[in-house]
Amino acid sequence: MAMMPRMELRQGQSLVMTPQLLQAIKLLQLSHLELQSFVEGELERNPLLERGDEAGEPALPGAANEAVLAADQASYERAESLNTQEGIEGRLGTGLENVFQSEQPQVARLDSRGADSLPITGGAYGGNGGSFEDGPEGFESSLTAELSLHEHLAAQLDLAVASPAERLIGRHIIDGVDDAGYLAEPLTEIASRLGVDEARVEAVLRLVQGFDPSGVAARDVGECLAIQLRDRDRYDPAMQALLANLPLLAKRDYAALKRVCGVDDEDMADMVAEIRRLDPKPGRAFGGSAAETVVPDVFIRAAPDGSWLIDLNPDTLPRVLVNQTYHARVSRAARNDEDKAFIAECLQTANWLTRSLEQRARTILKVASEIVRQQDGFFAHGVEHLRPLNLKTVADAIGMHESTVSRVTSNKYLGCPRGVFEMKYFFSAAIAATGYGEAHSAEAVRYRIKQMIDEESASGILSDDAIVTRLKASGIDIARRTVAKYRESLRIPSSMERRREKLAMAGGGR
């Protein structure tokens, strides 16, 4: 078979991901905080972009724009002439030395008693006595910042330890304490890093564990509770045995605990009450990383006619504009091809960003409107009326791809009279109904399971099988393992543990 070159013409389709398209896709999945950070970066990089609340008059196209530029130039020349000394003195009708006296150098002079005297100028709040500007630091010196846990422990360490070596070890121990107050770094690593004996690090750790708050720098929950009990003089052998068997306490197995600790019902109740009064996270009183408040991206309101009004939250939508007037001015001043290319690129990026932000807002509103239409029963009647919903259903209804809907609903929140919910909350798997009924939402079934368990009594604890029977009686076809999975996701203990807890609360202790 002979080989020879030849030309062929083929037709095909391919998706070209331009940088602008990638940016638009990226903007869809950003939360409003991430979006604000991204826009701030673009405002710093692109001189043609400006915030909407800082924008002046919009630029006029064509000949009108030329008139604006001419007017700007004339205003600039007039301002330059008025900013000269002659122009300012002419407007004020006096010399500058009579106006800006506070700008003149202050000269010390002697009063009649021979003491130095300087002119006194009133501050923002007047007076020379209780002024906010007294002192070298001013008003800012009276402001205080929240004390962190590490700063609180370091201050106690400086007072308790005089040896520089032990103080260095203590600093490394304090640096290893997390926001909850626990020592997250093993002592062996601290000793190896400092090149000291582990026993010496252990001794300094015992000292730090005596600091306020009680229980700090513990390595586990048992040690944290033991430190607090020692401070209260309640760490007896029975309590020591109880802390050694915390898994039994978590399971509410009080019968086994009584045998291990060698106490009766009354003593066991007192010991459990004492444990509950302790703080398993002593560091949380000092806070940690600042918690961010969830701000809804969309608001849902009930209309007088019974429908729903969907509005975008303007606080989560950064408003940026393209300064066309400034673009015309700098384009005219560009001297070489490099400057012209930079200005053209900035204009293209700015226009694309504004269009991407507008498209993002429209897409969020479109997806939110379809979610409200699909889940009308939830907004009107509650969680029990939540319908099964998937991304494909919403995507087909609004004519978009599933991946687009997935990006839009990521990190976005919806505020309604029932609270603030993540948009993905409304997408729930379907659980078949008995017979030919309509399928149920997994979230609604999970809520119904929690409702059943909350309403049970100590003498009527529901097992997973009993819950399955009740759900099937109400038209929900569900397996026992699914009930167990939903119960565990709600952090609800098993029926045996719930029975022990309710009997203990009722005073049975069995």
Side-chain angles (χ1 to χ4, degrees), residues 448-468 470 483 487 492-496 498-499 502:
R448 191 170 299 187
I449 292 173
K450 184 179 183 302
Q451 223 176 15
M452 290 181 184
I453 295 176
D454 289 342
E455 294 173 355
E456 66 185 6
S457 61
S459 58
I461 301 297
L462 297 174
S463 64
D464 292 345
D465 290 326
I467 294 176
V468 169
R470 288 196 178 189
V483 171
R487 176 178 53 77
I492 298 175
S494 64
S495 58
M496 185 179 297
R498 298 200 307 273
R499 182 178 292 107
K502 290 185 181 293

PDB file of all heavy atoms in Angstrom, residues 448-468 470 483 487 492-496 498-499 502:
ATOM      1  N   ARG A 448     -39.200  13.902  60.286  1.00  0.00           N
ATOM      2  CA  ARG A 448     -40.268  13.134  60.932  1.00  0.00           C
ATOM      3  C   ARG A 448     -39.700  12.140  61.946  1.00  0.00           C
ATOM      4  O   ARG A 448     -40.275  11.918  63.015  1.00  0.00           O
ATOM      5  CB  ARG A 448     -41.092  12.404  59.873  1.00  0.00           C
ATOM      6  CG  ARG A 448     -42.366  11.793  60.405  1.00  0.00           C
ATOM      7  CD  ARG A 448     -43.274  11.300  59.300  1.00  0.00           C
ATOM      8  NE  ARG A 448     -43.683  12.374  58.416  1.00  0.00           N
ATOM      9  CZ  ARG A 448     -44.593  12.224  57.444  1.00  0.00           C
ATOM     10  NH1 ARG A 448     -45.161  11.041  57.252  1.00  0.00           N
ATOM     11  NH2 ARG A 448     -44.926  13.226  56.681  1.00  0.00           N
ATOM     12  N   ILE A 449     -38.540  11.548  61.630  1.00  0.00           N
ATOM     13  CA  ILE A 449     -37.893  10.640  62.581  1.00  0.00           C
ATOM     14  C   ILE A 449     -37.509  11.394  63.845  1.00  0.00           C
ATOM     15  O   ILE A 449     -37.721  10.914  64.970  1.00  0.00           O
ATOM     16  CB  ILE A 449     -36.660   9.989  61.920  1.00  0.00           C
ATOM     17  CG1 ILE A 449     -37.098   9.036  60.810  1.00  0.00           C
ATOM     18  CG2 ILE A 449     -35.826   9.253  62.955  1.00  0.00           C
ATOM     19  CD1 ILE A 449     -35.952   8.483  60.005  1.00  0.00           C
ATOM     20  N   LYS A 450     -36.950  12.573  63.692  1.00  0.00           N
ATOM     21  CA  LYS A 450     -36.567  13.373  64.869  1.00  0.00           C
ATOM     22  C   LYS A 450     -37.793  13.748  65.694  1.00  0.00           C
ATOM     23  O   LYS A 450     -37.768  13.754  66.929  1.00  0.00           O
ATOM     24  CB  LYS A 450     -35.838  14.638  64.419  1.00  0.00           C
ATOM     25  CG  LYS A 450     -35.303  15.486  65.573  1.00  0.00           C
ATOM     26  CD  LYS A 450     -34.569  16.694  65.052  1.00  0.00           C
ATOM     27  CE  LYS A 450     -33.965  17.492  66.212  1.00  0.00           C
ATOM     28  NZ  LYS A 450     -34.982  17.932  67.176  1.00  0.00           N
ATOM     29  N   GLN A 451     -38.879  14.054  65.008  1.00  0.00           N
ATOM     30  CA  GLN A 451     -40.112  14.402  65.716  1.00  0.00           C
ATOM     31  C   GLN A 451     -40.612  13.217  66.546  1.00  0.00           C
ATOM     32  O   GLN A 451     -41.031  13.391  67.702  1.00  0.00           O
ATOM     33  CB  GLN A 451     -41.171  14.818  64.688  1.00  0.00           C
ATOM     34  CG  GLN A 451     -41.962  16.040  65.077  1.00  0.00           C
ATOM     35  CD  GLN A 451     -42.921  16.465  63.992  1.00  0.00           C
ATOM     36  OE1 GLN A 451     -43.220  15.703  63.047  1.00  0.00           O
ATOM     37  NE2 GLN A 451     -43.416  17.665  64.092  1.00  0.00           N
ATOM     38  N   MET A 452     -40.591  12.026  65.984  1.00  0.00           N
ATOM     39  CA  MET A 452     -41.029  10.837  66.719  1.00  0.00           C
ATOM     40  C   MET A 452     -40.189  10.607  67.963  1.00  0.00           C
ATOM     41  O   MET A 452     -40.715  10.320  69.052  1.00  0.00           O
ATOM     42  CB  MET A 452     -40.943   9.596  65.815  1.00  0.00           C
ATOM     43  CG  MET A 452     -41.941   9.544  64.692  1.00  0.00           C
ATOM     44  SD  MET A 452     -41.719   8.015  63.733  1.00  0.00           S
ATOM     45  CE  MET A 452     -42.910   8.282  62.423  1.00  0.00           C
ATOM     46  N   ILE A 453     -38.872  10.739  67.832  1.00  0.00           N
ATOM     47  CA  ILE A 453     -37.984  10.485  68.966  1.00  0.00           C
ATOM     48  C   ILE A 453     -38.135  11.553  70.033  1.00  0.00           C
ATOM     49  O   ILE A 453     -38.070  11.267  71.238  1.00  0.00           O
ATOM     50  CB  ILE A 453     -36.527  10.375  68.471  1.00  0.00           C
ATOM     51  CG1 ILE A 453     -36.388   9.143  67.567  1.00  0.00           C
ATOM     52  CG2 ILE A 453     -35.550  10.298  69.628  1.00  0.00           C
ATOM     53  CD1 ILE A 453     -35.025   8.984  66.940  1.00  0.00           C
ATOM     54  N   ASP A 454     -38.363  12.805  69.624  1.00  0.00           N
ATOM     55  CA  ASP A 454     -38.545  13.877  70.606  1.00  0.00           C
ATOM     56  C   ASP A 454     -39.809  13.682  71.431  1.00  0.00           C
ATOM     57  O   ASP A 454     -39.884  14.127  72.587  1.00  0.00           O
ATOM     58  CB  ASP A 454     -38.594  15.232  69.897  1.00  0.00           C
ATOM     59  CG  ASP A 454     -37.241  15.650  69.347  1.00  0.00           C
ATOM     60  OD1 ASP A 454     -36.219  15.078  69.800  1.00  0.00           O
ATOM     61  OD2 ASP A 454     -37.205  16.531  68.458  1.00  0.00           O
ATOM     62  N   GLU A 455     -40.791  13.042  70.857  1.00  0.00           N
ATOM     63  CA  GLU A 455     -42.076  12.885  71.544  1.00  0.00           C
ATOM     64  C   GLU A 455     -42.172  11.585  72.342  1.00  0.00           C
ATOM     65  O   GLU A 455     -43.182  11.365  73.023  1.00  0.00           O
ATOM     66  CB  GLU A 455     -43.215  12.916  70.511  1.00  0.00           C
ATOM     67  CG  GLU A 455     -43.367  14.259  69.815  1.00  0.00           C
ATOM     68  CD  GLU A 455     -44.379  14.212  68.687  1.00  0.00           C
ATOM     69  OE1 GLU A 455     -44.875  13.089  68.403  1.00  0.00           O
ATOM     70  OE2 GLU A 455     -44.656  15.272  68.089  1.00  0.00           O
ATOM     71  N   GLU A 456     -41.168  10.718  72.295  1.00  0.00           N
ATOM     72  CA  GLU A 456     -41.243   9.440  73.005  1.00  0.00           C
ATOM     73  C   GLU A 456     -41.047   9.641  74.502  1.00  0.00           C
ATOM     74  O   GLU A 456     -40.407  10.597  74.944  1.00  0.00           O
ATOM     75  CB  GLU A 456     -40.196   8.466  72.450  1.00  0.00           C
ATOM     76  CG  GLU A 456     -38.767   8.889  72.696  1.00  0.00           C
ATOM     77  CD  GLU A 456     -37.753   7.966  72.035  1.00  0.00           C
ATOM     78  OE1 GLU A 456     -38.163   7.063  71.295  1.00  0.00           O
ATOM     79  OE2 GLU A 456     -36.543   8.183  72.254  1.00  0.00           O
ATOM     80  N   SER A 457     -41.578   8.739  75.291  1.00  0.00           N
ATOM     81  CA  SER A 457     -41.469   8.778  76.745  1.00  0.00           C
ATOM     82  C   SER A 457     -40.497   7.704  77.215  1.00  0.00           C
ATOM     83  O   SER A 457     -40.050   6.859  76.439  1.00  0.00           O
ATOM     84  CB  SER A 457     -42.845   8.556  77.384  1.00  0.00           C
ATOM     85  OG  SER A 457     -43.351   7.284  77.016  1.00  0.00           O
ATOM     86  N   ALA A 458     -40.162   7.722  78.527  1.00  0.00           N
ATOM     87  CA  ALA A 458     -39.213   6.745  79.061  1.00  0.00           C
ATOM     88  C   ALA A 458     -39.757   5.326  78.966  1.00  0.00           C
ATOM     89  O   ALA A 458     -38.999   4.364  78.824  1.00  0.00           O
ATOM     90  CB  ALA A 458     -38.888   7.089  80.518  1.00  0.00           C
ATOM     91  N   SER A 459     -41.061   5.179  79.024  1.00  0.00           N
ATOM     92  CA  SER A 459     -41.660   3.840  78.953  1.00  0.00           C
ATOM     93  C   SER A 459     -42.016   3.428  77.529  1.00  0.00           C
ATOM     94  O   SER A 459     -42.470   2.311  77.300  1.00  0.00           O
ATOM     95  CB  SER A 459     -42.926   3.784  79.823  1.00  0.00           C
ATOM     96  OG  SER A 459     -43.855   4.765  79.391  1.00  0.00           O
ATOM     97  N   GLY A 460     -41.821   4.352  76.569  1.00  0.00           N
ATOM     98  CA  GLY A 460     -42.175   4.049  75.181  1.00  0.00           C
ATOM     99  C   GLY A 460     -41.076   4.438  74.212  1.00  0.00           C
ATOM    100  O   GLY A 460     -41.333   5.148  73.232  1.00  0.00           O
ATOM    101  N   ILE A 461     -39.851   3.964  74.473  1.00  0.00           N
ATOM    102  CA  ILE A 461     -38.730   4.257  73.589  1.00  0.00           C
ATOM    103  C   ILE A 461     -38.918   3.507  72.273  1.00  0.00           C
ATOM    104  O   ILE A 461     -39.221   2.304  72.263  1.00  0.00           O
ATOM    105  CB  ILE A 461     -37.391   3.865  74.242  1.00  0.00           C
ATOM    106  CG1 ILE A 461     -37.206   4.642  75.552  1.00  0.00           C
ATOM    107  CG2 ILE A 461     -36.237   4.126  73.303  1.00  0.00           C
ATOM    108  CD1 ILE A 461     -37.109   6.132  75.367  1.00  0.00           C
ATOM    109  N   LEU A 462     -38.740   4.197  71.167  1.00  0.00           N
ATOM    110  CA  LEU A 462     -38.945   3.603  69.851  1.00  0.00           C
ATOM    111  C   LEU A 462     -37.635   3.027  69.323  1.00  0.00           C
ATOM    112  O   LEU A 462     -36.625   3.730  69.235  1.00  0.00           O
ATOM    113  CB  LEU A 462     -39.464   4.655  68.864  1.00  0.00           C
ATOM    114  CG  LEU A 462     -40.830   5.262  69.176  1.00  0.00           C
ATOM    115  CD1 LEU A 462     -41.141   6.378  68.193  1.00  0.00           C
ATOM    116  CD2 LEU A 462     -41.917   4.190  69.121  1.00  0.00           C
ATOM    117  N   SER A 463     -37.650   1.772  68.965  1.00  0.00           N
ATOM    118  CA  SER A 463     -36.503   1.166  68.299  1.00  0.00           C
ATOM    119  C   SER A 463     -36.539   1.548  66.818  1.00  0.00           C
ATOM    120  O   SER A 463     -37.534   2.086  66.316  1.00  0.00           O
ATOM    121  CB  SER A 463     -36.529  -0.344  68.465  1.00  0.00           C
ATOM    122  OG  SER A 463     -37.671  -0.889  67.806  1.00  0.00           O
ATOM    123  N   ASP A 464     -35.457   1.251  66.110  1.00  0.00           N
ATOM    124  CA  ASP A 464     -35.430   1.537  64.673  1.00  0.00           C
ATOM    125  C   ASP A 464     -36.510   0.766  63.933  1.00  0.00           C
ATOM    126  O   ASP A 464     -37.127   1.283  62.993  1.00  0.00           O
ATOM    127  CB  ASP A 464     -34.048   1.215  64.104  1.00  0.00           C
ATOM    128  CG  ASP A 464     -32.975   2.155  64.620  1.00  0.00           C
ATOM    129  OD1 ASP A 464     -33.341   3.214  65.177  1.00  0.00           O
ATOM    130  OD2 ASP A 464     -31.775   1.847  64.485  1.00  0.00           O
ATOM    131  N   ASP A 465     -36.767  -0.471  64.350  1.00  0.00           N
ATOM    132  CA  ASP A 465     -37.831  -1.257  63.719  1.00  0.00           C
ATOM    133  C   ASP A 465     -39.203  -0.637  63.964  1.00  0.00           C
ATOM    134  O   ASP A 465     -40.064  -0.629  63.069  1.00  0.00           O
ATOM    135  CB  ASP A 465     -37.813  -2.688  64.253  1.00  0.00           C
ATOM    136  CG  ASP A 465     -36.595  -3.468  63.782  1.00  0.00           C
ATOM    137  OD1 ASP A 465     -36.154  -3.212  62.639  1.00  0.00           O
ATOM    138  OD2 ASP A 465     -36.070  -4.293  64.541  1.00  0.00           O
ATOM    139  N   ALA A 466     -39.403  -0.105  65.193  1.00  0.00           N
ATOM    140  CA  ALA A 466     -40.688   0.531  65.486  1.00  0.00           C
ATOM    141  C   ALA A 466     -40.874   1.793  64.659  1.00  0.00           C
ATOM    142  O   ALA A 466     -41.984   2.098  64.195  1.00  0.00           O
ATOM    143  CB  ALA A 466     -40.772   0.851  66.977  1.00  0.00           C
ATOM    144  N   ILE A 467     -39.786   2.524  64.435  1.00  0.00           N
ATOM    145  CA  ILE A 467     -39.874   3.733  63.609  1.00  0.00           C
ATOM    146  C   ILE A 467     -40.208   3.355  62.168  1.00  0.00           C
ATOM    147  O   ILE A 467     -41.014   4.027  61.496  1.00  0.00           O
ATOM    148  CB  ILE A 467     -38.555   4.517  63.688  1.00  0.00           C
ATOM    149  CG1 ILE A 467     -38.341   5.059  65.113  1.00  0.00           C
ATOM    150  CG2 ILE A 467     -38.535   5.657  62.687  1.00  0.00           C
ATOM    151  CD1 ILE A 467     -37.018   5.761  65.322  1.00  0.00           C
ATOM    152  N   VAL A 468     -39.595   2.284  61.665  1.00  0.00           N
ATOM    153  CA  VAL A 468     -39.897   1.818  60.302  1.00  0.00           C
ATOM    154  C   VAL A 468     -41.375   1.481  60.177  1.00  0.00           C
ATOM    155  O   VAL A 468     -42.039   1.834  59.187  1.00  0.00           O
ATOM    156  CB  VAL A 468     -39.015   0.600  59.961  1.00  0.00           C
ATOM    157  CG1 VAL A 468     -39.503  -0.060  58.671  1.00  0.00           C
ATOM    158  CG2 VAL A 468     -37.562   1.014  59.818  1.00  0.00           C
ATOM    159  N   ARG A 470     -43.927   2.644  61.924  1.00  0.00           N
ATOM    160  CA  ARG A 470     -44.756   3.854  61.946  1.00  0.00           C
ATOM    161  C   ARG A 470     -44.662   4.617  60.625  1.00  0.00           C
ATOM    162  O   ARG A 470     -45.656   5.161  60.140  1.00  0.00           O
ATOM    163  CB  ARG A 470     -44.317   4.756  63.101  1.00  0.00           C
ATOM    164  CG  ARG A 470     -44.689   4.228  64.475  1.00  0.00           C
ATOM    165  CD  ARG A 470     -44.568   5.331  65.505  1.00  0.00           C
ATOM    166  NE  ARG A 470     -44.968   4.894  66.831  1.00  0.00           N
ATOM    167  CZ  ARG A 470     -45.119   5.718  67.865  1.00  0.00           C
ATOM    168  NH1 ARG A 470     -44.883   7.014  67.731  1.00  0.00           N
ATOM    169  NH2 ARG A 470     -45.500   5.250  69.041  1.00  0.00           N
ATOM    170  N   VAL A 483     -33.185   4.203  58.319  1.00  0.00           N
ATOM    171  CA  VAL A 483     -33.593   4.884  59.553  1.00  0.00           C
ATOM    172  C   VAL A 483     -32.395   5.049  60.481  1.00  0.00           C
ATOM    173  O   VAL A 483     -32.186   6.122  61.073  1.00  0.00           O
ATOM    174  CB  VAL A 483     -34.727   4.107  60.247  1.00  0.00           C
ATOM    175  CG1 VAL A 483     -34.998   4.678  61.635  1.00  0.00           C
ATOM    176  CG2 VAL A 483     -35.987   4.152  59.405  1.00  0.00           C
ATOM    177  N   ARG A 487     -30.874   8.561  61.711  1.00  0.00           N
ATOM    178  CA  ARG A 487     -30.781   8.830  63.146  1.00  0.00           C
ATOM    179  C   ARG A 487     -29.358   9.207  63.545  1.00  0.00           C
ATOM    180  O   ARG A 487     -29.137  10.138  64.329  1.00  0.00           O
ATOM    181  CB  ARG A 487     -31.259   7.590  63.930  1.00  0.00           C
ATOM    182  CG  ARG A 487     -31.121   7.721  65.431  1.00  0.00           C
ATOM    183  CD  ARG A 487     -31.643   6.501  66.131  1.00  0.00           C
ATOM    184  NE  ARG A 487     -31.055   5.260  65.639  1.00  0.00           N
ATOM    185  CZ  ARG A 487     -29.825   4.853  65.962  1.00  0.00           C
ATOM    186  NH1 ARG A 487     -29.047   5.600  66.728  1.00  0.00           N
ATOM    187  NH2 ARG A 487     -29.358   3.704  65.491  1.00  0.00           N
ATOM    188  N   ILE A 492     -28.482  11.262  67.123  1.00  0.00           N
ATOM    189  CA  ILE A 492     -29.422  10.717  68.099  1.00  0.00           C
ATOM    190  C   ILE A 492     -28.927   9.336  68.501  1.00  0.00           C
ATOM    191  O   ILE A 492     -28.677   8.495  67.631  1.00  0.00           O
ATOM    192  CB  ILE A 492     -30.839  10.640  67.520  1.00  0.00           C
ATOM    193  CG1 ILE A 492     -31.345  12.043  67.172  1.00  0.00           C
ATOM    194  CG2 ILE A 492     -31.789   9.972  68.503  1.00  0.00           C
ATOM    195  CD1 ILE A 492     -32.695  12.055  66.484  1.00  0.00           C
ATOM    196  N   PRO A 493     -28.741   9.074  69.795  1.00  0.00           N
ATOM    197  CA  PRO A 493     -28.239   7.759  70.219  1.00  0.00           C
ATOM    198  C   PRO A 493     -29.252   6.655  69.943  1.00  0.00           C
ATOM    199  O   PRO A 493     -30.417   6.911  69.599  1.00  0.00           O
ATOM    200  CB  PRO A 493     -27.993   7.942  71.716  1.00  0.00           C
ATOM    201  CG  PRO A 493     -28.842   9.096  72.125  1.00  0.00           C
ATOM    202  CD  PRO A 493     -28.939   9.992  70.935  1.00  0.00           C
ATOM    203  N   SER A 494     -28.810   5.441  70.152  1.00  0.00           N
ATOM    204  CA  SER A 494     -29.675   4.286  69.916  1.00  0.00           C
ATOM    205  C   SER A 494     -30.798   4.228  70.955  1.00  0.00           C
ATOM    206  O   SER A 494     -30.792   4.953  71.954  1.00  0.00           O
ATOM    207  CB  SER A 494     -28.854   3.000  69.970  1.00  0.00           C
ATOM    208  OG  SER A 494     -28.322   2.811  71.275  1.00  0.00           O
ATOM    209  N   SER A 495     -31.758   3.343  70.710  1.00  0.00           N
ATOM    210  CA  SER A 495     -32.910   3.238  71.622  1.00  0.00           C
ATOM    211  C   SER A 495     -32.461   2.801  73.015  1.00  0.00           C
ATOM    212  O   SER A 495     -33.013   3.268  74.025  1.00  0.00           O
ATOM    213  CB  SER A 495     -33.926   2.247  71.052  1.00  0.00           C
ATOM    214  OG  SER A 495     -33.335   0.971  70.857  1.00  0.00           O
ATOM    215  N   MET A 496     -31.456   1.930  73.126  1.00  0.00           N
ATOM    216  CA  MET A 496     -30.975   1.483  74.429  1.00  0.00           C
ATOM    217  C   MET A 496     -30.350   2.645  75.213  1.00  0.00           C
ATOM    218  O   MET A 496     -30.618   2.834  76.400  1.00  0.00           O
ATOM    219  CB  MET A 496     -29.955   0.358  74.251  1.00  0.00           C
ATOM    220  CG  MET A 496     -29.465  -0.263  75.561  1.00  0.00           C
ATOM    221  SD  MET A 496     -28.300  -1.601  75.276  1.00  0.00           S
ATOM    222  CE  MET A 496     -29.343  -2.760  74.402  1.00  0.00           C
ATOM    223  N   ARG A 498     -30.939   5.859  74.733  1.00  0.00           N
ATOM    224  CA  ARG A 498     -31.984   6.829  75.062  1.00  0.00           C
ATOM    225  C   ARG A 498     -32.799   6.358  76.257  1.00  0.00           C
ATOM    226  O   ARG A 498     -33.208   7.163  77.104  1.00  0.00           O
ATOM    227  CB  ARG A 498     -32.901   7.049  73.851  1.00  0.00           C
ATOM    228  CG  ARG A 498     -32.206   7.616  72.643  1.00  0.00           C
ATOM    229  CD  ARG A 498     -33.188   8.264  71.682  1.00  0.00           C
ATOM    230  NE  ARG A 498     -34.292   7.396  71.301  1.00  0.00           N
ATOM    231  CZ  ARG A 498     -34.272   6.519  70.291  1.00  0.00           C
ATOM    232  NH1 ARG A 498     -33.165   6.384  69.574  1.00  0.00           N
ATOM    233  NH2 ARG A 498     -35.326   5.788  69.999  1.00  0.00           N
ATOM    234  N   ARG A 499     -33.055   5.060  76.356  1.00  0.00           N
ATOM    235  CA  ARG A 499     -33.810   4.523  77.497  1.00  0.00           C
ATOM    236  C   ARG A 499     -33.033   4.758  78.796  1.00  0.00           C
ATOM    237  O   ARG A 499     -33.612   5.172  79.799  1.00  0.00           O
ATOM    238  CB  ARG A 499     -34.104   3.045  77.286  1.00  0.00           C
ATOM    239  CG  ARG A 499     -34.933   2.420  78.426  1.00  0.00           C
ATOM    240  CD  ARG A 499     -35.249   0.970  78.165  1.00  0.00           C
ATOM    241  NE  ARG A 499     -36.172   0.811  77.051  1.00  0.00           N
ATOM    242  CZ  ARG A 499     -35.836   0.360  75.847  1.00  0.00           C
ATOM    243  NH1 ARG A 499     -34.565   0.003  75.599  1.00  0.00           N
ATOM    244  NH2 ARG A 499     -36.728   0.233  74.892  1.00  0.00           N
ATOM    245  N   LYS A 502     -33.199   8.510  79.740  1.00  0.00           N
ATOM    246  CA  LYS A 502     -34.496   8.961  80.243  1.00  0.00           C
ATOM    247  C   LYS A 502     -34.781   8.380  81.625  1.00  0.00           C
ATOM    248  O   LYS A 502     -35.376   9.062  82.471  1.00  0.00           O
ATOM    249  CB  LYS A 502     -35.592   8.581  79.245  1.00  0.00           C
ATOM    250  CG  LYS A 502     -35.535   9.383  77.951  1.00  0.00           C
ATOM    251  CD  LYS A 502     -36.715   9.070  77.037  1.00  0.00           C
ATOM    252  CE  LYS A 502     -36.619   9.871  75.739  1.00  0.00           C
ATOM    253  NZ  LYS A 502     -36.780  11.318  75.948  1.00  0.00           N
TER     254      LYS A 502
END
